[in-house]
Amino acid sequence: MPGPPFQSFVECCRRRVTPETCPNARLVGSNIPIYSGPHLAPFLEDSSRISRLLNEWNRLLGEGPGVFVIEHAFERLDVIHQMTKCFEAIIAREKMAGTSRGDHFGDNERIWNSFQKSSIQSPHLFVDYYGNRLIALACRAWLGPHYQLTAQVNNVKPGSDAQSPHRDYHLGFQSNEVIGSFPESAQTMSQHLTLQGAVAHSDMPVESGPTRLLPFSQRFAAGYRHFRDPAFSDYFEAHAVQLPLSKGDLLFFNPALFHAAGSNRSANDRMANLLQISSAFGRAMESLDRLAMITAVYPELIRRHQAETLPEALLETSATALADGYAFPTNLDSDPPIDGNAPRTQRSYLLQAVRENWPWPHLQKTLSELARRRCA
Ligand SMILES: [Fe+2]
């Protein structure tokens, strides 16, 4: 008979979303707030509405259901179509080169670090896709500024099995023994270091197996130590919800939420670009060659800036995606604080360079010197 931890888990998961906690959602479906991209568009021009939305999403991800959806999050759906083609080209190239790794289920296709690879494959598309302000706001809502994006593409073939319920990075990837070696306060804290997201690249009816989710399960403090226990998995199987998604929809959830990809019983592939976004204070799961990314995308930013087709918000969002916006760790002997504040960052140099139309060799030299100054 399951004991008290299971009972308190069930109490967490019995909660229901109330409309007062998500006043800007279009509706609540399956206990998950669902927002509409077109409805949120006017919010983006109003700083007080932005801050209300940031608070709303922060509470939903923390004490609320731990998950929300934004439908039709891309103003131009062709950006999704083109990025899908870009991913398909990367998958084909990696298959040809014999470097594709697949994933743990059958012949599914996977692109690790699709984030960096897409920036180099298609810089203009990278700006349109990761310049998406709704993605940026969701990241800020949970992690604050200077978050670190990473992304992995997952293309799940018909007939693929479901995953077991789990929590995600950091501690969701560790054994029970390792998890238990961290105090519960650190286990709970770790959920604040990451935000999970997904961009739907195909329509995902329920039979194609969009992620099954257990709203409010992130609130259960001991969840990292119990998500593999049969009583908890059985409860998940009985109570998890699944929302159909359409191409261009976004899903965001707390990494401590119990979840699992569903089985694909449809006749079509299910493709998502999985976003894993880290706090500036945390360590991301994948390493990035940011200099290679900036080298690829800088000419595109300059081209748009000179053509006056680079609004300030798009520049800021693109710079956050591309460049490290946090000043630490550094070497304070060679990279001292300026006027008692934090040293300058890669991101601040990139912004200055675009605004002042620096030639690439000048920015390249500046960033190389910064990298040298930050070395121990
Ligand atoms: Fe997961």
Side-chain angles (χ1 to χ4, degrees):
M1 185 66 191
F6 180 73
Q7 295 310 330
S8 56
F9 173 67
V10 169
E11 267 163 43
C12 284
C13 300
R14 276 197 182 134
R15 290 167 190 265
R16 306 293 304 170
V17 175
T18 54
E20 311 80 71
T21 58
C22 48
N24 294 299
R26 188 174 70 77
L27 66 119
V28 176
S30 301
N31 219 11
I32 297 174
I34 301 170
Y35 293 79
S36 151
H39 173 76
L40 292 178
F43 281 63
L44 304 177
E45 312 311 322
D46 180 338
S47 59
S48 65
R49 289 174 96 182
I50 286 178
S51 62
R52 283 203 298 278
L53 192 60
L54 292 174
N55 284 332
E56 184 173 320
W57 286 353
N58 180 276
R59 283 197 304 273
L60 291 179
L61 290 167
E63 69 213 45
V67 51
F68 63 90
V69 164
I70 309 173
E71 292 176 332
H72 314 299
F74 284 77
E75 215 175 303
R76 287 171 40 213
L77 204 54
D78 66 298
V79 172
I80 294 288
H81 290 145
Q82 289 176 45
M83 191 56 102
T84 303
K85 287 202 173 71
C86 172
F87 293 154
E88 287 167 350
I90 294 169
I91 289 169
R93 194 175 63 230
E94 294 190 345
K95 275 187 180 164
M96 286 277 287
T99 53
S100 96
R101 293 273 180 274
D103 77 355
H104 15 278
F105 295 115
D107 57 355
N108 294 340
E109 292 160 336
R110 173 78 81 168
I111 307 174
W112 297 116
N113 199 0
S114 60
F115 186 60
Q116 181 179 319
K117 288 170 185 168
S118 63
S119 76
I120 290 163
Q121 172 97 359
S122 188
H124 75 280
L125 204 49
F126 181 90
V127 173
D128 288 333
Y129 187 94
Y130 288 106
N132 183 302
R133 291 178 67 193
L134 294 170
I135 295 179
L137 283 183
C139 297
R140 275 175 55 197
W142 189 234
L143 305 167
H146 313 317
Y147 50 82
Q148 312 164 73
L149 271 153
T150 68
Q152 306 85 34
V153 169
N154 199 12
N155 190 35
V156 178
K157 298 288 180 185
S160 291
D161 290 336
Q163 286 181 323
S164 306
H166 61 279
R167 289 182 159 188
D168 268 339
Y169 186 78
H170 293 255
L171 289 175
F173 285 18
Q174 301 290 353
S175 67
N176 285 351
E177 192 185 358
V178 171
I179 292 167
S181 67
F182 285 88
E184 191 170 286
S185 58
Q187 294 174 30
T188 309
M189 173 280 291
S190 71
Q191 68 188 279
H192 294 281
L193 297 176
T194 314
L195 176 65
Q196 294 298 129
V199 186
H201 276 259
S202 58
D203 289 334
M204 297 183 184
V206 166
E207 61 269 24
S208 74
T211 305
R212 293 177 301 154
L213 308 148
L214 190 55
F216 293 95
S217 55
Q218 86 288 355
R219 293 178 50 123
F220 178 53
Y224 286 103
R225 298 196 300 285
H226 290 288
F227 70 79
R228 296 181 175 99
D229 291 357
F232 293 76
S233 312
D234 290 349
Y235 185 89
F236 179 90
E237 294 299 333
H239 295 93
V241 297
Q242 215 171 2
L243 279 183
L245 297 175
S246 300
K247 241 178 261 181
D249 289 354
L250 298 173
L251 167 74
F252 288 100
F253 61 95
N254 181 317
L257 191 79
F258 281 49
H259 68 279
S263 61
N264 186 350
R265 293 174 280 104
S266 76
N268 302 309
D269 290 7
R270 185 183 84 235
M271 183 188 269
N273 192 27
L274 305 177
L275 307 179
Q276 191 165 62
I277 311 111
S278 290
S279 155
F281 309 146
R283 300 193 196 205
M285 186 177 72
E286 287 188 305
S287 46
L288 301 175
D289 183 345
R290 291 194 181 276
L291 200 53
M293 295 175 67
I294 294 169
T295 305
V297 180
Y298 186 66
E300 175 65 17
L301 293 176
I302 286 292
R303 188 187 67 73
R304 291 191 193 206
H305 180 66
Q306 289 177 341
E308 297 184 3
T309 56
L310 185 67
E312 183 62 20
L314 183 59
L315 170 60
E316 298 247 346
T317 308
S318 303
T320 301
L322 278 172
D324 189 350
Y326 197 54
F328 303 103
T330 191
N331 179 337
L332 289 169
D333 280 324
S334 49
D335 186 33
I338 300 164
D339 301 329
N341 291 314
R344 280 195 67 176
T345 65
Q346 200 180 43
R347 181 178 182 274
S348 79
Y349 285 116
L350 174 61
L351 286 172
Q352 183 184 1
V354 175
R355 288 175 183 139
E356 296 177 4
N357 283 312
W358 289 8
W360 167 243
H362 183 41
L363 177 61
Q364 186 182 31
K365 183 165 174 283
T366 303
L367 295 182
S368 302
E369 284 168 358
L370 173 67
R372 258 199 308 279
R373 285 202 305 275
R374 288 179 68 150
C375 279

